[in-house]
Amino acid sequence: RLSGTTSDKPCPILATSAGFPQQASSARIAATALEYTVDGSRLIAGTTTGFVVLDATQGYATLQTDTSGGVLAVAVAPSGGWVALVRSGTVSVRRSSDLVEVASITSAVGFRSADFSRDGARVALAQQQNAVRIFRAPAWNELTPLSLTGRVDAVAFRPRGVAAPPSSAKSICRCP
């Protein structure tokens, strides 16, 4: 299923079959980011004021709401164990099972994006300027950051454990 959002309409849930017929609709959510949990049971929507968790197994009913600050991006570990909620100055790492925060990572320059390694053992965080920071689960100890020059908008792990910013970035980085 696909999910999308506009600021003035409910969040439509679309089938991936021909024509993308609408399957369901959630409450009016002006989402800034959308990610399903690995098992597809919950849709996490980042908003300008926090995040909303919708139950995909029960017609997208609201399970949890948080209004402690706008969420720019949501990352879900492919292993299913972790979720990262990216806010401007912090990243909240949470257990996927109950969304309880296990770590709060701060940045003086702010964050823009996050991605987990395939095994969920590391999370890479794109700082707004000059670095990608990498942390190892489950203690979320920081590894050596990847220094870059200029703005960093996004980061992604390749399946073999290598991360690179988008091609529009001035530098290329690799996560160990």
Side-chain angles (χ1 to χ4, degrees), residues 16-168:
T16 55
S17 58
F20 300 102
Q22 185 166 326
Q23 300 294 300
S25 181
S26 70
R28 293 180 187 271
I29 298 170
T32 54
L34 293 170
E35 282 289 336
Y36 278 98
T37 54
V38 172
D39 64 5
S41 67
R42 291 171 290 158
L43 177 62
I44 303 168
T47 70
T48 57
T49 59
F51 68 92
V52 177
V53 181
L54 304 173
D55 186 342
T57 67
Q58 298 295 318
Y60 292 87
T62 300
L63 290 174
Q64 183 176 348
T65 301
D66 174 281
T67 57
S68 59
V71 172
L72 304 170
V74 178
V76 175
S79 64
W82 310 107
V83 172
L85 301 169
V86 179
R87 292 182 165 103
S88 180
T90 64
V91 172
S92 174
V93 180
R94 294 167 182 257
R95 288 190 307 252
S96 182
S97 60
D98 56 12
L99 292 178
V100 169
E101 185 175 82
V102 295
S104 180
I105 300 165
T106 60
S107 168
V109 298
F111 292 110
R112 303 204 40 99
S113 175
D115 193 36
F116 286 94
S117 60
R118 296 286 174 221
D119 62 2
R122 292 169 290 159
V123 65
L125 306 176
Q127 281 198 158
Q128 289 183 9
Q129 293 290 321
N130 303 327
V132 172
R133 294 171 60 192
I134 305 165
F135 295 81
R136 184 176 304 279
W140 305 105
N141 298 321
E142 186 167 11
L143 304 175
T144 303
L146 303 169
S147 296
L148 302 169
T149 301
R151 182 174 158 160
V152 182
D153 289 323
V155 66
F157 276 93
R158 284 180 51 194
R160 294 188 187 142
V162 178
S167 60
S168 63

